[in-house]
């Protein structure tokens, strides 16, 4: 179907339709050489000249960091520097098996880089799919090009929902209203006229037009803002903030503890400085929770890749975390619960007024007068509209368009056929003025010169907006609305369209009944949210009764009590109360959508907003997580954190589940890493105060960390997890990690001290007892963190235990790790101490779990 903007010749754009300013009409494709940026746009030669001079929109659209940035971020970290220095020290003093921790860091860093590069490639490929392709006029023809291909003086065409890509000056305007709120904070759209400036980053909310690019590339306004805040910058993230807080505290604790450990080991092992160095390194290395940062990055990266396979573009990584915290999803009906298209089901005259054929002709003219029709007007266009004959506008009035009347609707979706002659009459409709649809006013209109020489305004819009309360037709509208049908009122008025109240003297003539196409997966998706205790709310600009009927048909709880947003209270507290208790809202303006999102957030709700239209932009921007449909307007895709490229509403459960998996599992494995840090610091302090050799060599720390934390944490971080995240990440993690770490450290040092009292000269045997005790306590902590059990989690715990048993019993492994249990008393004493510590851990876990249940 040819777009209404291209009725006559390929040269026509938005400005060539009815009501456009002079210069954008059909003769813009004449052979006369246009001025740069004129009606026919630049020529191929002029474009090539500007490209050669570098006057192109060369700002790269970055959805992720560069490979170099990823490598630097993963390699040059504070903790890698600490571990790297300690690894270098071990390489000097030897033996190499005590430097295994360095190889682990290299492997971890490599894994992090590989996973993030995979995520980057996924993001970049999806970003190309979802990238805006603006329409420009070149050589008299309208074409779509990539954003980076726009050059200075290009004529860029605009329609509803289009984002202004570069700065420019308006050359054509047909009711062109630009929303600049994302740039200036001004909430009201600005009506633009030829000569007015438009800024990149703004978007069209009504009308159509064109502008000449005056600033491209890094000179454009939005590009200058992007220089200050890269697109990849991490938005507020409690997880990242919490981990940074923990790491900062650990750094402060690590320095004095490490100094004390160095002094004590040099004092104790003054006859063997190499042994002193090795045991000092063994005490410092496990204090560093290096894997925690790595697994956080890997979990985010794998989340991006998994969502990418479902055609879901994550534009900001912390959006994955935000998904886990969502407890309320605000849905726009059109394009979310229903598919974008509609069908005209019936044209119902009111009170027997108006000839049906005459009304069809008027609707056909109105539909063709809309340069960028929305879904409702597109349905009217498909049903009644055919392209007008290629007539020139009347001389001296470039905004008028003569159109033939329509005697019969064309085939559905076919608007390219030549229209029939208007009966046996030469009478024509003529468009004198056109006012495009706006979400704020809820109607569109045209001023028509009618057959017979009369002139009137024709309006098509929301019946409950155009008609006074209590009008008899509204009862009929409500009855149709209860069937889930969308209803528009067609009326005629003598009042000029530019009047403050164009509908003041409206004569209602007919109801246009539209059938909406429900998404087949909408009901299952809403059921999923209900099962996951995520409240779904429908916020729509349509009639409350119609929206409620659609929602009720999908079995959404509370849909039987829809609320008309025009009755919403102005008081913020009352608005928040209403937003909490109501499920379905109708006749919501774009500003009210934003207010409702804010009201829910004021009650502590974490809100996700879905939408596809320009009327959703403000709410999407303010929501905790904005989710846009891939086929939606450029403006919605630009402000959303997540874009569903395949438009499948059923993808949302997978998106939410992925967010919960990432945040829940990071919180789970964070406890493991911090338990290790706590018991390492405690052991170091006890060693400093008692002036004994540190119980482990670096190789012992490596095997303990690998089997009880590193390997299990990697698998646990990728496991399914449907628990909704809650605030208080640091508090919850430390609530388990601190007491568990204290218990593990105390039990280990007790077993070590008892073994030393039995044979103080056999340091290898004492270390072996301490290693056995710590492994048993640490594996018990792992068993607690891995709950609830599944077959693979039990297998994971059993495999780690079996691997440690092999280290003890296989001769070459026990020699490599210098582990040898002497006698029976000390090893069994260590086992008994570990069991007591495990029972104490169970008591602590019971109290922690009770506290978590009370919080939730």
């Amino acid at each position: 179907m040819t777009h209404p903007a291209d009725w006559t010749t390929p040269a026509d754009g938005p400005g060539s339709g009815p009501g456009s300013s002079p210069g954008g009409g059909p003769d813009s494709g004449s052979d006369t050489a246009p001025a740069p940026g004129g009606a026919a746009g630049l020529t191929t030669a002029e474009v090539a000249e500007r490209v050669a001079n570098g006057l192109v929109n060369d700002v790269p659209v970055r959805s992720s960091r560069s490979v170099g940035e990823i490598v630097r971020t993963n390699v040059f970290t504070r903790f890698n520097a600490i571990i790297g220095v300690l690894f270098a020290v071990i390489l000097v003093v030897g033996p190499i098996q005590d430097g295994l921790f360095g190889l682990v860091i290299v492997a971890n860093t490599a894994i992090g880089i590989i996973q993030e590069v995979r995520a980057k490639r996924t993001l970049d490929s999806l970003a190309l799919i979802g990238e805006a392709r603006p329409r420009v006029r070149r050589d008299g023809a309208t074409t779509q090009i990539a954003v980076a291909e726009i050059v200075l003086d290009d004529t860029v065409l605009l329609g509803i929902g289009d984002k202004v890509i570069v700065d420019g000056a308006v050359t054509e305007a047909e009711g062109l209203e630009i929303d600049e709120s994302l740039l200036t904070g001004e909430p009201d759209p600005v009506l633009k006229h030829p000569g007015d400036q438009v800024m990149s980053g703004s978007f069209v909310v009504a009308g159509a037009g064109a502008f000449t690019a005056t600033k491209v590339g890094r000179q454009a306004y939005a590009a200058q803002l992007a220089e200050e805040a890269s697109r990849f910058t991490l938005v507020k993230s409690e997880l990242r903030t919490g981990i940074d807080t923990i790491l900062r505290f650990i750094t402060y604790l690590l320095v004095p503890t490490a100094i004390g450990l160095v002094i004590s080991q040099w004092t104790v092992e003054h006859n063997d400085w190499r042994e002193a160095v090795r045991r000092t390194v063994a005490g410092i290395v496990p204090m560093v929770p290096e894997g925690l940062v790595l697994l956080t990055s890997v979990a985010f990266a794998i989340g991006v890749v998994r969502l990418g396979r479902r055609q879901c573009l994550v534009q900001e990584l912390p959006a994955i975390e935000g998904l886990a915290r969502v407890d309320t999803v605000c849905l726009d009906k059109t394009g979310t619960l229903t598919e974008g298209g509609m069908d005209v089901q019936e044209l119902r005259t009111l009170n027997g007024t108006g000839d049906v054929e005459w009304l069809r002709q008027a609707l056909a003219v109105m539909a063709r007068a809309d340069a960028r029709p929305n879904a409702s007007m597109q349905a009217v266009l498909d049903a009644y509209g055919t392209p007008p004959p290629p007539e020139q506008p009347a001389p001296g009035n470039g905004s008028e368009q003569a159109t033939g009347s329509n005697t019969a609707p064309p085939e559905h979706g076919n608007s390219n056929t030549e229209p029939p002659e208007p009966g046996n009459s030469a009478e024509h409709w003529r468009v004198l003025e056109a006012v495009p649809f706006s979400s704020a006013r809820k109607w569109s209109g045209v001023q028509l010169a009618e057959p017979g020489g009369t002139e009137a305004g024709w309006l098509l819009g929301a019946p409950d907006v155009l008609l006074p309360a209590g009008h008899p037709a509204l009862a009929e509208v409500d009855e149709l609305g209860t069937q889930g049908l969308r209803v528009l009122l067609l009326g005629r008025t003598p009042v000029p369209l530019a009047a403050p109240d164009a509908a003041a003297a409206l004569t209602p003539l007919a109801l246009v009944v539209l059938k909406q196409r429900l998404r087949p997966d909408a009901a299952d998706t809403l059921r999923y949210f209900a099962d996951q205790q995520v409240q779904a709310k429908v916020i729509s600009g349509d009639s409350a009764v119609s929206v409620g009927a659609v929602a009720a048909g999908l079995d959404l709880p509370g849909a039987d009590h829809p609320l008309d947003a025009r009755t919403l209270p102005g008081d913020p507290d009352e608005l928040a109360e209403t937003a909490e208790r109501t499920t379905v809202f109708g006749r919501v303006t774009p500003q009210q959508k934003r207010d409702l999102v804010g009201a829910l957030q004021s009650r502590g709700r974490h809100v996700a907003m879905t939408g596809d239209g320009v009327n959703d932009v403000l709410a999407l921007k303010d929501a905790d997580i904005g989710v846009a449909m891939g086929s939606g307007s450029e403006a919605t895709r630009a402000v959303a954190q997540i874009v569903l490229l395949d438009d499948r509403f059923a993808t949302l459960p997978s998106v939410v589940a992925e967010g919960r998996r990432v945040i829940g599992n990071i919180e789970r494995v964070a406890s493991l890493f911090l338990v290790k840090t706590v018991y390492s610091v405690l052991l170091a302090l006890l060693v400093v105060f008692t002036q004994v050799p540190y119980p482990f060599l670096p190789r012992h720390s490596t095997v303990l960390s690998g089997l009880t934390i590193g390997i299990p944490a990697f698998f646990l971080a990728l496991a399914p997890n449907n628990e909704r995240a809650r605030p208080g990440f640091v508090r919850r993690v430390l609530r388990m990690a601190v007491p568990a770490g204290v218990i593990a450290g105390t039990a280990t040092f007790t077993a070590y001290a008892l073994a030393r009292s039995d044979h103080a000269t056999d340091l290898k045997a004492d270390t072996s007892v301490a290693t056995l005790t710590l492994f048993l306590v640490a594996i018990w902590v792992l068993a607690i963190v891995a709950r609830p059990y599944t077959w693979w989690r039990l297998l994971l715990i059993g495999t780690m235990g079996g691997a440690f048993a092999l280290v003890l019993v296989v001769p070459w492994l026990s020699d490599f790790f210098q582990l040898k249990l002497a006698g029976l008393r000390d090893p069994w004493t260590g086992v008994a101490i570990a069991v007591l510590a495990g029972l104490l851990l169970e008591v602590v876990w019971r109290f922690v779990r009770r506290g978590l249940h009370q919080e939730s």
Side-chain angles (χ1 to χ4, degrees), residues 208-226:
F211 70 93
T212 298
T214 57
K215 291 183 180 180
V216 296
R218 289 174 173 80
Q219 300 301 315
Y221 185 76
Q224 293 173 12
L225 293 180

Side-chain angles (χ1 to χ4, degrees), residues 355-379:
D355 174 65
V356 173
E357 184 57 37
W358 183 58
L359 296 177
R360 286 180 175 178
Q361 292 177 15
L363 282 169
V365 176
M366 293 184 72
R368 292 195 299 265
D370 195 332
R372 294 290 292 269
N374 59 17
S376 301
M377 192 62 83
Q378 186 64 53

Side-chain angles (χ1 to χ4, degrees), residues 570-658:
D571 179 72
D573 291 334
E574 293 181 17
L575 178 63
E577 179 65 30
T578 304
E580 281 266 37
R581 69 169 183 264
T582 308
T583 302
V584 177
F585 300 86
R587 288 289 173 246
V588 186
T589 66
Q591 184 59 44
Q592 284 178 317
K593 286 189 178 185
R594 185 183 207 174
D595 293 341
L596 285 169
V597 168
L600 290 167
Q601 289 171 326
S602 71
R603 292 299 179 95
R605 295 272 189 171
H606 288 268
V607 182
M609 175 76 196
T610 70
D612 67 341
V614 72
N615 58 323
D616 302 317
V617 169
L618 298 178
L620 283 169
K621 179 178 176 290
D622 284 2
D624 296 289
I625 296 294
V627 181
M629 297 295 172
S631 64
S633 70
E634 294 170 14
T636 56
R637 298 200 305 270
V639 300
Q641 286 89 17
I642 291 174
V643 181
L644 304 180
L645 295 172
D646 58 0
D647 284 351
R648 292 186 65 242
F649 180 49
T651 305
L652 271 182
S654 301
V655 174
V656 172
E658 188 62 30

Side-chain angles (χ1 to χ4, degrees), residues 39 55 124 135 141 272 287 334 361-362 376 381 408 456 459 496 511 516 537 560 743 761:
L55 301 177
D124 290 349
R135 298 183 308 142
D272 188 350
M287 295 183 198
T334 306
Q361 292 177 15
S376 301
L381 184 68
L459 304 184
L511 298 178
Q516 304 173 97
K537 295 182 182 292
D560 50 344
I743 292 171
T761 58

Side-chain angles (χ1 to χ4, degrees), residues 305-454:
V305 173
R306 283 181 172 179
L307 291 176
R309 292 184 186 135
R310 297 179 179 273
Q311 290 297 292
C312 176
L313 170 61
V314 180
Q315 304 202 96
E316 297 179 11
L317 284 186
I320 294 180
E321 175 189 347
L323 290 169
R325 305 189 187 282
V326 165
D327 54 22
T328 306
V329 177
C330 295
L331 308 167
D332 175 51
K333 176 181 69 67
T334 306
T336 304
L337 298 180
T338 62
E339 294 178 344
M342 300 185 209
D343 301 299
V344 175
Q345 178 169 298
E346 180 185 1
L347 179 60
R348 182 179 297 188
T349 60
L350 294 174
N351 302 322
T353 59
D355 174 65
V356 173
E357 184 57 37
W358 183 58
L359 296 177
R360 286 180 175 178
Q361 292 177 15
L363 282 169
V365 176
M366 293 184 72
R368 292 195 299 265
D370 195 332
R372 294 290 292 269
N374 59 17
S376 301
M377 192 62 83
Q378 186 64 53
V380 173
L381 184 68
D382 290 343
Y384 306 123
T386 55
E391 298 178 328
Q392 301 294 335
N397 189 355
S399 66
E400 296 181 1
Q401 175 94 21
T403 66
S405 62
N406 186 21
T407 57
E411 291 287 325
H412 179 77
N414 178 11
S415 60
N416 293 327
T417 58
E418 288 295 323
E421 291 296 322
N424 297 320
S425 168
E427 296 174 323
H428 290 149
W429 300 79
R430 281 193 304 136
V431 177
L432 305 176
E433 182 185 357
V435 176
F437 177 81
S438 164
S439 299
R441 57 178 169 260
K442 305 291 185 188
W443 57 263
S444 62
V446 290
Q447 192 77 18
L448 295 178
E450 302 166 333
T454 56

Side-chain angles (χ1 to χ4, degrees), residues 73-85 105 109 288 290:
T73 302
N74 280 274
V75 173
F76 300 108
T77 68
R78 178 192 317 164
F79 291 133
N80 274 8
I82 296 172
I83 298 296
V85 170
I105 293 299
T109 302
V288 180
E290 72 290 336

